Amino acid sequence: MWARPHQDQNLTLRRGAWYRVVRLLQREVVLEVNRHVVVVPRRFVEIVPSRPLRWAIVPRPRDALRIPPHWGTCYAVCPSCRQRVPAQGGAASMRCPRCSGLFLSELSCP
């Protein structure tokens, strides 16, 4: 199973990125994050049975520190390596500059 934080949650996880579920508890989920386990409230994550292979389009958080302002109101997160890149205006697919994976894209910026 895989999980990603809801886009409006400010957790220690990268918004839009998928993480492997180590264990599901009643109120929490245990995730593998960079070879470490992280426990987060279950209500703050989306859980799916298999890892999606689509770029996630994430609205720019108000408190974003490491996202260049010229990227605009949203950015994309690679489903494989979690690299963040500028969203490419509703492109059907994009190649990741970090891992070279070619993946379909979610909807364009909200």
Side-chain angles (χ1 to χ4, degrees), residues 84-103:
R84 291 180 289 202
V85 299
Q88 296 179 356
S93 64
M94 299 188 307
R95 184 168 301 279
C96 179
R98 182 177 184 194
C99 70
S100 298
L102 180 63
F103 304 103

Side-chain angles (χ1 to χ4, degrees), residues 8 19 22 26 31 40 49 61-62 73 86-89 101:
D8 59 347
Y19 297 93
V22 175
Q26 185 174 358
L31 304 175
V40 296
R62 290 185 310 273
T73 60
Q88 296 179 356

